[in-house]
Each structure stands twice: as C-alpha cells, then as structure tokens.
Amino acid sequence: MKPKTFCYFLHEAFCGIFRNSLISLAAIGIISIALVLFGLFYIFTVNIQHLGTLAWDKIEVRVFLKQDVSNTEKIKKQLTQIPGVRDVKFIPKKDGAAALERLLGSKNLFTDDDNPLPDCFHLSPAEKANIDEITRLASAISGVEEIVYGQKFVNFLKVLIRLVLVMGLVLMIFSALAVLYMVVNTIQLTVYARRNEIEIMKLVGATNSFIRWPFLLEGIFLGVGGAFLAVLLLTKGYGFLLGKLRRLNVYIPLLRCTEVNQPLIISLFAMGIFFGGSGSLFSLRRYLKD
Amino acid sequence: MILAKDLTKIYSNGVVALDKLSLSVEKGEFVFLVGPSGAGKSTFLSLIIRRELPTSGFLTVNRQPVALLKKNEIAFLRRSIGVIFQDYKLLPNKTVYENISFALEVIETSSREIKQRVYSVLELVGLLNKARVFPSELSGGEQQRVCLARALVNRPLLLLADEPTGNLDPETSWEIMDLLREVNKRGTTILMATHNKIIVDKLRKRVLALENGKLVRDTIRGGYTLET
Ligand SMILES: Nc1ncnc2c1ncn2[C@@H]1O[C@H](COP(=O)(O)OP(=O)(O)OP(=O)(O)O)[C@@H](O)[C@H]1O
Ligand SMILES: [Mg+2]
C-alpha cells in the first residue's frame, strides 16, 4: 500500500465519522458504556483479590514444641525448608508468657522456671501455599507437639478468593461480549448509512480490501474514542471513591489508583481497538459477499 | 468485446428479465440497445458488469467469462468498464470533484494524475465551474454529465450508457452524443440503452432491439423501429 493510499483511507475514515456524526457519537457512547462496565468488574475483581492476599498475609501457622526441646535452631532450619513457608519466627516461652500477660492484663503470671507455656514458631505461608501440606510436614519434625492455625478461616478465604476470581472473570467475559455486540450493532448503523457508497465503490472497481480499510480505521477510531471516555470515567471515578473513603475515615486497604490505572488503561484501549476494528469488519461482511 | 449465448436472467421474484439472449458486440462498435420499458436493457448491462449473475447461459466480456470471475477479478473487470447509470449513482456527501476522483483513488492513481485527469473530464463535460459543488445542488442533466465524467475518467475499453440523455434537453442531449461519438472514435466500445428515437434514427448505428428479454432485431445502421 502506498502512503498516499493510506492517507486517503485515513481521510475517508475521518470523513465517515464526521459526516455521520450522530451515529458516531452514539457508537462512542455505547462502546464507552460497555467498556466502563468491563472496567468496573475489573476494578472490583482486582480489589477483592488484593484484599484476599492481604488477609492471607495475616495467616499464621503456630508450631508448638514439646517441653524441654533444646535443638530449636535445627527445628527452625527444618521449618524454613518446608516449601511454601515464607517466614519463620521463633517465639520463646517467655515471650509467649509476656503476650499472655498483656492479654490478661496481669503481671508476673509465671516466674521463668515454672512457665508452662511451650516454645513456639510462627510460620507465615507464602501466597497460594498449601497450608495442609505445610502442617503435615511440620508435624513430622521431631520435637513438634502441636500445630494450630485458623483452619476454617483459611478454607473460607481460599473458597472466597477462587469464587471472586471466577465470578469476576465470567463477568468480564460477559461484558467483553457485550462490548462486541454493541460495537457490531452500532457500526452496522454507520455501515448501513453508507451502503450506497459501498455499492458504488464496488461498481467502479474497488477491491474488497480497499473498501474495508476506511471502515476498519473508522471502527478503530470509534473504539479508541469509547476507550478514552471509559478510562476517563473510571480513573476519575476510582480516584474520587478513594478520596471519599479517606475523608470519611473509612479504612479499607484498596489498591491505589496508580496500581489500578496502568493495566486498566492498557486493557480498555486494547479492547476498544480490537472490538472497534473487528466489529466494523464483521458488519461489512454482508456487503462484500460478492 | 461482448459475447452472450443463451443468456437468461430470472430475478428471485420470478420475473424473466432476459430470455435466451444471444448476441455479440465487437471492439470499437457503437451500439444502441432499444426496447420498451421492462424489456431487459438495464438487466443486460448489469450482467456485463456483474452486478447480477446470469441464471443460465454464457457471457464473456473482453474474453473473460463474467460468471466465473473471482472477487478481485471482478474489481479489475469493472475498472475497464465505464458505466453511466440510469439513476446516476452519485455519492450525495461527496463533491462533484470527489465523485469523479474516487474512481481513480480506487485504482491507486497518483495525486497529480488524478487532479489532471479529473479536470480534463470536467472540461470535457462542461462542468469545470461545478467541481466543488455537491450533487444535490445540480440539475438532473448536470448530474448525468458528472456520471458520464466518472465513467470516462479511467479511460475504459467499454462504456455502458443507460439512458444517458434521459433527463436532458435536446440540445444538451446532442452535446452528450457528440461526446460519446468522440470517445468511440478514440477506440472505446459503446453500448447505449435508450428510448430516444430521434437520436437513434439520426445517427444510424447498429441497433439491438429487446422485447420481453428476447432479441427481436439486430440491424446495422438501423432506426429506433423497423420502419424508420
Ligand atoms: N432487481 C430486480 N429484482 C426483480 N426484478 C427486477 C429487478 N430489476 C429489474 N427487474 C425486472 O426485470 C424486468 C426488466 O427490467 P430492466 O430494468 O432490465 O428493464 P429496462 O429495459 O431497463 O426498462 P427501462 O427502459 O424502463 O429502463 C422488469 O420487468 C423489471 O421489473
Ligand atoms: Mg433500464
């Protein structure tokens, strides 16, 4: 393709957009609504995921040792080597007693010698680690008496994270399909408005690809326009939400704007371009059959 | 140039527009296609540029079997044929200049050549002063001349003219006929469907008469009817 031909296509695409400005505006509006929907699900899903991981980080597996075990260094080493263990912290029995005292609000509960509490390790599991496996391996270490962790909470969290992920994905796929459907329908309007033009182009000997190009570019521009609007709405809206929560002193550890924006912007523009372009080609197919 | 053998066209609504039509037109000829309204003249022209597919029979244009062409070959065939449509088929949202240049953009002509060629055909049809005007601002006859200019701009081997004088006063009609004869002299084959008895009788060219989709008469130097 000559550069001049490409310029001609660009010119035609812009003419198409501006000559059918009402339909074009409608198309941009509808694409942006669909993309906003997608973006909302995206923001929701990543935040729930984020909260899930934060909660995960708070999980601690407590490994209590038998009384009068002395080789704690060796046990620590063994615990560290268990796959999925991110961090091992040793809590000697006197720290445990201090914690208990703090909890009960009394002082000098035990003297150093009659402290009945065992020595203890706190394990922090890595993200997505299999906690059952960790406890199984840890309990096999000699000198370990008992292992305690919030089993119900962990299971609940596991299910929740998976559920939200699946739900978010399903919703995102649905909203992506909605974007495609709306784009095809609106671009079909612009194509329909120009069916005579298409016919005449064919009659003077334009090849199908020559006819497709301006429409492809037009669809892409509409998609970019819609994505631009959606990005504007979502980023501003999310920023506003975070600011509002901060002002109300509601502390929810949501993702910061900067963490959400980049993937959001990239995916919305990519979707706009992809769906705008393919929707436009799809709408044309009927007119280019022969 | 054009060879038809038992060419039949039945539209999807059952109308038999062409019924076993057989004829041939040689390179460089000037042929009138006459016949009452509904005889199948426009249909025949549509088959030649493959706007429609024949129901049965055989048609070659410039030795190419039209029905068997692939999509891109159809586009290339159409580039070698200029058409003046009965209903003009101008694009309402493009200027006169753009309507004509468009036929050259399609075949990736350079900007300089486009400009030069468009202005030269506009001069030929006498519409230089209307280049920047939209079709809706033109009279019927002027629109017809724009259509002629577009048909001529890529120097076709074959020119199909469907009622090119349909909306013109007698004087302008003769101007158009002079133009067509000039183009024909330069080697372009012309097939013109018309109801204009005066022109056909005066020019004494080959006449093909259709009736109900059948060829009923083929006379060299003929008139609009058998008697004339
Ligand atoms: N697209 C179509 N679908 C169905 N029938 C059609 C179509 N085009 C034409 N016909 C029918 O085919 C027959 C021939 O039409 P055609 O347009 O070829 O006639 P014509 O000789 O050009 O007439 P005119 O002199 O009025 O232009 C007519 O009966 C018409 O009703
Ligand atoms: Mg006709």
Side-chain angles (χ1 to χ4, degrees):
Chain A
M1 193 196 312
K2 294 185 198 168
K4 178 198 164 252
T5 312
F6 192 73
C7 288
Y8 176 77
F9 291 150
L10 274 178
H11 175 253
E12 285 301 296
F14 277 115
C15 282
I17 289 175
F18 288 112
R19 275 179 185 152
N20 300 305
S21 50
L22 223 58
I23 297 179
S24 306
L25 278 181
I28 290 177
I30 288 175
I31 292 171
S32 69
I33 290 172
L35 287 177
V36 164
L37 207 66
F38 175 86
L40 284 178
F41 290 139
Y42 174 79
I43 291 176
F44 180 75
T45 310
V46 290
N47 267 305
I48 295 291
Q49 284 271 304
H50 175 64
L51 294 178
T53 21
L54 286 185
W56 193 266
D57 285 344
K58 295 263 184 303
I59 293 175
E60 261 180 354
V61 177
R62 271 178 276 178
V63 179
F64 294 101
L65 303 186
K66 291 184 177 131
Q67 290 290 353
D68 57 277
V69 170
S70 55
N71 56 345
T72 52
E73 271 312 309
K74 189 174 163 228
I75 294 177
K76 178 168 184 177
K77 214 167 162 193
Q78 281 173 309
L79 287 171
T80 316
Q81 278 163 359
I82 295 175
V85 171
R86 184 161 51 90
D87 189 34
V88 178
K89 212 161 35 180
F90 180 58
I91 315 283
K93 58 167 86 176
K94 77 174 182 317
D95 288 6
L100 193 62
E101 284 168 357
R102 258 202 314 282
L103 195 69
L104 299 176
S106 59
K107 281 205 163 135
N108 302 327
L109 215 50
F110 316 110
T111 63
D112 273 351
D113 293 332
D114 64 354
N115 183 348
L117 296 175
D119 285 330
C120 168
F121 283 101
H122 284 191
L123 306 186
S124 305
E127 222 175 293
K128 292 183 188 134
N130 182 346
I131 294 192
D132 293 336
E133 184 67 11
I134 292 175
T135 51
R136 199 180 60 74
L137 290 172
S139 57
I141 295 171
S142 74
V144 170
E145 168 90 34
E146 196 188 2
I147 295 179
V148 174
Y149 69 100
Q151 188 142 20
K152 281 205 180 122
F153 178 67
V154 167
N155 286 337
F156 170 73
L157 203 59
K158 266 194 211 161
V159 171
L160 186 76
I161 289 178
R162 197 161 303 157
L163 195 74
V164 167
L165 184 67
V166 170
M167 236 172 54
L169 276 180
V170 167
L171 288 178
M172 280 196 283
I173 289 171
F174 267 107
S175 54
L177 288 180
V179 176
L180 185 64
Y181 179 78
M182 289 176 176
V183 168
V184 167
N185 271 285
T186 15
I187 292 184
Q188 214 141 42
L189 283 180
T190 77
V191 171
Y192 183 78
R194 290 164 68 187
R195 65 194 180 287
N196 290 329
E197 192 172 334
I198 296 171
E199 199 209 342
I200 296 171
M201 285 175 87
K202 291 178 71 173
L203 289 177
V204 297
T207 54
N208 281 351
S209 64
F210 187 92
I211 296 173
R212 264 188 216 114
W213 268 102
F215 283 98
L216 176 68
L217 292 176
E218 194 177 326
I220 289 176
F221 290 146
L222 293 180
V224 168
F228 183 77
L229 260 183
V231 162
L232 209 67
L233 278 172
L234 285 170
T235 52
K236 289 277 173 239
Y238 190 59
F240 178 77
L241 174 78
L242 292 187
K244 192 92 190 168
L245 289 178
R246 203 175 318 120
R247 250 171 286 127
L248 293 174
N249 285 320
V250 181
Y251 183 71
I252 307 173
L254 295 179
L255 288 167
R256 276 166 295 147
C257 276
T258 46
E259 292 170 298
V260 172
N261 285 355
Q262 198 189 4
L264 188 70
I265 290 172
I266 290 173
S267 57
L268 289 190
F269 274 101
M271 279 178 71
I273 289 170
F274 176 75
F275 290 129
S278 56
S280 149
L281 291 185
F282 186 76
S283 316
L284 262 183
R285 82 205 180 291
R286 183 145 48 102
Y287 298 95
L288 298 182
K289 262 209 296 264
D290 53 19
Chain B
M1 192 77 209
I2 302 169
L3 180 69
K5 185 104 182 56
D6 292 334
L7 196 61
T8 300
K9 174 66 188 177
I10 304 173
Y11 282 109
S12 52
N13 59 2
V15 174
V16 182
L18 290 179
D19 189 0
K20 299 209 164 172
L21 185 72
S22 296
L23 59 81
S24 78
V25 174
E26 300 307 317
K27 222 181 192 121
E29 273 194 285
F30 193 126
V31 181
F32 286 120
L33 195 58
V34 302
S37 190
K41 304 183 293 295
S42 298
T43 301
F44 183 49
L45 300 183
S46 300
L47 290 179
I48 292 173
I49 54 169
R50 205 185 187 280
R51 265 182 94 188
E52 298 286 349
L53 272 172
T55 311
S56 66
F58 187 69
L59 175 67
T60 62
V61 176
N62 212 5
R63 298 209 189 83
Q64 301 180 78
V66 176
L68 303 180
L69 296 181
K70 298 197 195 72
K71 281 181 188 168
N72 273 347
E73 295 171 329
I74 296 170
F76 285 105
L77 171 78
R78 286 171 177 169
R79 291 174 192 186
S80 66
I81 304 176
V83 189
I84 306 173
F85 296 98
Q86 199 165 4
D87 53 357
Y88 315 144
K89 296 207 183 296
L90 299 176
L91 293 168
N93 48 27
K94 287 195 192 297
T95 63
V96 166
Y97 181 93
E98 289 167 341
N99 261 287
I100 299 169
S101 65
F102 169 72
L104 293 174
E105 298 284 2
V106 157
I107 55 178
E108 299 198 29
T109 316
S110 74
S111 306
R112 248 184 59 223
E113 182 154 10
I114 288 180
K115 203 165 173 182
Q116 186 208 320
R117 284 220 228 165
V118 173
Y119 280 117
S120 92
V121 284
L122 277 174
E123 191 176 6
L124 198 66
V125 300
L127 285 177
L128 263 184
N129 56 337
K130 302 278 187 189
R132 299 288 158 206
V133 158
F134 288 93
S136 56
E137 303 165 78
L138 295 175
S139 73
E142 287 167 334
Q143 291 183 35
Q144 199 140 33
R145 281 187 277 159
V146 176
C147 192
L148 172 63
R150 185 183 61 194
L152 291 178
V153 79
N154 58 6
R155 299 174 186 156
L157 296 169
L158 171 64
L159 182 69
L160 306 178
D162 202 348
E163 300 277 1
T165 60
N167 281 290
L168 304 180
D169 59 84
E171 196 174 330
T172 327
S173 296
W174 280 112
E175 278 173 26
I176 295 285
M177 289 317 296
D178 287 341
L179 259 173
L180 290 183
R181 284 161 73 191
E182 179 62 31
V183 172
N184 176 239
K185 261 195 210 120
R186 290 192 211 156
T188 299
T189 311
I190 297 186
L191 183 57
M192 170 170 158
T194 184
H195 290 295
N196 195 321
K197 185 175 187 318
I198 303 171
I199 286 177
V200 176
D201 286 344
K202 179 106 183 273
L203 289 184
R204 291 288 147 184
K205 301 284 188 188
R206 180 178 171 196
V207 175
L208 297 170
L210 292 185
E211 228 165 89
N212 294 325
K214 291 191 177 67
L215 184 66
V216 294
R217 186 160 57 89
D218 180 355
T219 31
I220 298 171
R221 302 182 160 281
Y224 189 75
T225 55
L226 194 54
E227 296 78 45
T228 51

